[in-house]
């Protein structure tokens, strides 16, 4: 089974974050839960590590797509640590030559990632990986990262045909 995870890790900006930002909402929630000096970024990081490891323990392959608000080398909260602990690989490093491109308009480093289980790579399922230029494909202050996976190699089974809308049990007319 392949599990696709999308994740957002808040920045480490408690002192300057606006009152309604996600990190401040998490900070207030953790304070109400009795934490004296909550660190939402660290708590989210630990929860993500634990979640991935629990999925892997039951045999799931992982595709993690993440706005990390951090780089491969940010110490305890680095993507390198996550890659090591969860045995994940960056397909962009494998597929593309040269250093990683910045993935954020106001930054000079890569802070967005797609990481995959090593077993996905060993199947030969990765057939492409890349980045679109800023504002191509989506209007965002982040670049669009993508990977291309061959479903036959990934799932080791024939793909099922997409059912016509008429035959689907759930459709836009359901109430």
């Amino acid at each position: 089974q392949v599990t696709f995870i999308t994740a957002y890790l808040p920045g480490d900006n408690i002192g300057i974050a606006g009152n309604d930002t996600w990190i401040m909402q998490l900070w207030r929630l953790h304070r109400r839960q009795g934490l004296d000096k909550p660190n939402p970024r660290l708590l989210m990081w630990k929860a993500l590590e634990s979640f991935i490891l629990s999925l892997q323990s039951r045999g799931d392959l992982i595709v993690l797509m993440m706005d990390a608000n951090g780089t491969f080398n940010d110490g305890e909260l680095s993507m390198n640590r996550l890659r090591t602990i969860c045995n994940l690989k960056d397909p962009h490093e494998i597929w593309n030559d040269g250093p990683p491109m910045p993935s954020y308009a106001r930054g000079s480093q890569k802070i967005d990632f797609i990481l995959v289980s090593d077993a996905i790579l060993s199947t030969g399922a990765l057939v492409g990986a890349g980045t679109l230029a800023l504002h191509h494909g989506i209007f965002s202050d982040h670049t669009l990262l993508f990977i291309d996976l061959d479903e036959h190699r990934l799932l080791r089974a024939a793909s099922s045909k997409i059912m016509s809308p008429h035959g689907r049990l759930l459709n836009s007319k359901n109430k």
Side-chain angles (χ1 to χ4, degrees), residues 1-4 55 58-63 117 120 154-155:
Q1 175 171 312
V2 181
T3 299
F4 291 81
L55 292 170
R58 68 179 201 193
D60 288 21
L61 301 178
I62 303 297
V63 176
S117 295
I120 289 175
L154 180 64
L155 303 175

Side-chain angles (χ1 to χ4, degrees), residues 69-74 99-113 134 141-143:
N69 278 306
T71 68
F72 275 130
N73 302 310
D74 283 345
M101 298 292 291
S103 62
Y104 182 58
R106 294 183 290 269
S108 61
Q109 298 187 35
K110 182 176 178 179
I111 63 168
D112 302 289
F113 300 90
L134 198 61
D141 57 354
H142 294 258
T143 59

Side-chain angles (χ1 to χ4, degrees), residues 24-78:
M24 289 309 297
Q25 292 174 37
L26 284 173
W27 187 84
R28 285 191 300 276
L29 173 68
H30 293 145
R31 288 281 301 181
R32 284 194 299 273
Q33 293 173 340
L35 294 174
D36 188 36
K37 294 182 180 180
N39 182 338
R41 184 172 170 80
L42 180 61
L43 293 169
M44 285 288 299
W45 195 263
K46 297 293 185 187
L48 180 62
E49 278 181 11
S50 177
F51 180 60
I52 291 171
L53 291 171
S54 71
L55 292 170
Q56 290 173 325
S57 72
R58 68 179 201 193
D60 288 21
L61 301 178
I62 303 297
V63 176
L64 171 63
M65 300 161 285
M66 182 176 186
D67 175 352
N69 278 306
T71 68
F72 275 130
N73 302 310
D74 283 345
E76 186 178 6
L77 301 180
S78 75

Side-chain angles (χ1 to χ4, degrees), residues 35-174:
L35 294 174
D36 188 36
K37 294 182 180 180
N39 182 338
R41 184 172 170 80
L42 180 61
L43 293 169
M44 285 288 299
W45 195 263
K46 297 293 185 187
L48 180 62
E49 278 181 11
S50 177
F51 180 60
I52 291 171
L53 291 171
S54 71
L55 292 170
Q56 290 173 325
S57 72
R58 68 179 201 193
D60 288 21
L61 301 178
I62 303 297
V63 176
L64 171 63
M65 300 161 285
M66 182 176 186
D67 175 352
N69 278 306
T71 68
F72 275 130
N73 302 310
D74 283 345
E76 186 178 6
L77 301 180
S78 75
M79 294 303 290
N80 276 336
R81 175 184 158 85
L82 184 69
R83 290 195 306 181
T84 301
I85 289 172
C86 298
N87 194 26
L88 300 173
K89 306 290 188 236
D90 183 346
H92 293 94
E93 283 184 351
I94 296 163
W95 197 261
N96 302 307
D97 292 330
M101 298 292 291
S103 62
Y104 182 58
R106 294 183 290 269
S108 61
Q109 298 187 35
K110 182 176 178 179
I111 63 168
D112 302 289
F113 300 90
I114 299 176
L115 302 178
V116 301
S117 295
D118 193 37
I120 289 175
L121 300 176
S122 65
T123 65
L126 180 70
V127 295
T131 306
L132 295 183
L134 198 61
H135 306 306
H136 283 78
I138 57 172
F139 187 75
S140 172
D141 57 354
H142 294 258
T143 59
L144 186 138
L145 304 176
F146 67 89
I147 59 173
D148 189 6
L149 299 170
D150 180 302
E151 68 177 299
H152 300 289
R153 291 179 187 163
L154 180 64
L155 303 175
R156 297 178 189 205
S159 60
S160 58
K161 292 184 179 181
I162 296 175
M163 185 180 294
S164 70
H166 178 72
R168 297 178 192 161
L169 298 176
L170 178 66
N171 61 55
S172 62
K173 295 179 183 170
N174 291 123

